[in-house]
Amino acid sequence: MKLYLDPGHGGKDPGAEGNGLREKDITLDIAMRLRDILLNDYEKVEVKLSRTSDVTKSLSARSSEANAWGADLYLSIHMNAADRSACGYEDYIYSGLSNSSKAANYQKIIHDEVIKMNRLKDRGLKKANFHVLRETTMPALLTENGFISNSQDAVLMKQPSWRQNVAQGHANGLAIAFQLQKKKNYSPVPTIPIPGKSYKIIAGSFQSFDNAKNRVTALQAKGFKALVETANISGDIWYRAQAGVFSNRENAEQRMAHLKKSGFKDVFILT
């Protein structure tokens, strides 16, 4: 399967803004997580992203690139915005397509899997005349993953574990739709939330997603479970290598000591 993955907006176009969030940051984070799940867990998958950083890119450039590449599916990740009461998840295919089209079939499968993971109100399957749905030569789907203007949806968006689950929901749907085969030795990323006070181990903080991902790979190579999470610090997005979450401070300090002994010096505990 060749997936053209499009994190909506970017650069000079922030997309929707609200509750201390910018759409372009959330869409990129989810898309990068989805890319990693697909490439790490499944056989015979190619993923091309419309952007991997905060850059400006026109809609026509995105659709033309996907068409030239010959993608099997165009998947655009977005967050919604409206009045403060609007909330939930919905997705779109091109309005000119029938309910029996290949795109509609993919939409139903992916919709059902995302809804299982995102803890959002189900707003249903929809159609629209959006550029990326109309001008692409392959089946195309645009997902709207909650309302950034809704305070309850925004609380979820701020959680790395939620964004990981949304990415996983998309991956699960794609795996069913395209009958993807799991790699024999794939290692799922841990996303177990811990209620109440917790102590998070951060083994490196970076402004580059790729640098954070490289650190996670290095951690995993030495037997530590790890994942990339994002943090908004003074308006800038940072990517952190998380190497464990504990409800007990002593256990967290033991993990930090083990990490430092293994050569990871820039480790700290986040309460």
Side-chain angles (χ1 to χ4, degrees):
M1 178 200 56
K2 295 176 67 174
L3 174 68
Y4 189 87
L5 183 54
D6 176 27
H9 308 283
K12 296 179 180 179
D13 175 16
E17 296 180 286
N19 292 294
L21 298 169
R22 299 182 300 187
E23 182 179 4
K24 66 175 183 177
D25 299 327
I26 308 300
T27 60
L28 180 59
D29 184 75
I30 292 173
M32 297 291 260
R33 292 173 184 273
L34 174 54
R35 177 195 68 176
D36 288 349
I37 293 170
L38 292 172
L39 295 181
N40 290 338
D41 294 358
Y42 294 98
E43 301 280 1
K44 298 179 181 179
V45 175
E46 296 179 61
V47 181
K48 180 183 285 291
L49 278 89
S50 62
R51 63 185 182 94
T52 57
S53 60
D54 187 19
V55 297
T56 304
K57 191 167 187 176
S58 69
L59 294 177
S60 60
R62 299 175 196 228
S63 58
S64 296
E65 187 174 68
N67 292 341
W69 187 52
D72 296 310
L73 179 70
Y74 188 110
L75 176 58
S76 192
I77 306 294
H78 284 260
M79 324 306 289
N80 226 327
D83 62 80
R84 294 181 180 180
S85 63
C87 62
Y89 170 82
E90 61 195 23
D91 43 46
Y92 292 84
I93 60 171
Y94 176 49
S95 54
L97 295 174
S98 71
N99 292 335
S100 60
S101 65
K102 186 177 288 187
N105 180 52
Y106 292 156
Q107 179 186 28
K108 178 64 168 62
I109 293 170
I110 294 170
H111 181 100
D112 289 347
E113 294 303 312
V114 173
I115 280 294
K116 291 177 184 178
M117 300 292 292
N118 66 12
R119 293 151 54 195
L120 294 174
K121 175 183 176 182
D122 187 348
R123 296 172 61 90
L125 294 81
K126 301 185 178 183
K127 297 180 181 181
N129 189 30
F130 299 146
H131 173 97
V132 296
L133 303 179
R134 182 185 67 246
E135 300 301 327
T136 43
T137 56
M138 72 292 299
L141 176 67
L142 185 147
T143 64
E144 293 277 8
N145 297 274
F147 281 74
I148 209 165
S149 50
N150 179 273
S151 59
Q152 292 180 324
D153 283 7
V155 166
L156 293 174
M157 293 177 193
K158 292 176 182 179
Q159 300 174 15
S161 60
W162 181 84
R163 299 194 297 273
Q164 185 71 28
N165 287 342
V166 169
Q168 187 66 61
H170 283 76
N172 294 345
L174 289 165
I176 295 171
F178 289 91
Q179 300 181 336
L180 302 180
Q181 299 298 312
K182 283 275 182 71
K183 291 182 177 179
K184 291 181 180 179
N185 298 315
Y186 84 97
S187 177
V189 175
T191 59
I192 301 173
I194 296 178
K197 178 177 276 192
S198 60
Y199 302 93
K200 187 180 298 183
I201 307 299
I202 305 300
S205 187
F206 308 89
Q207 288 188 294
S208 162
F209 180 91
D210 287 337
N211 288 345
K213 183 59 181 174
N214 289 339
R215 175 59 58 85
V216 166
T217 300
L219 288 161
Q220 292 172 342
K222 292 195 175 184
F224 297 103
K225 290 185 177 180
L227 58 86
V228 177
E229 67 168 24
T230 59
N232 191 320
I233 302 174
S234 300
D236 294 325
I237 296 298
W238 287 76
Y239 300 95
R240 292 168 167 169
Q242 178 188 313
V245 183
F246 300 88
S247 57
N248 180 281
R249 175 84 189 194
E250 183 178 351
N251 291 341
E253 289 177 349
Q254 289 176 358
R255 171 60 61 82
M256 182 170 66
H258 189 189
L259 284 161
K260 289 185 175 181
K261 188 175 180 180
S262 299
F264 302 100
K265 303 302 182 184
D266 51 343
V267 183
F268 61 93
I269 296 175
L270 190 65
T271 303

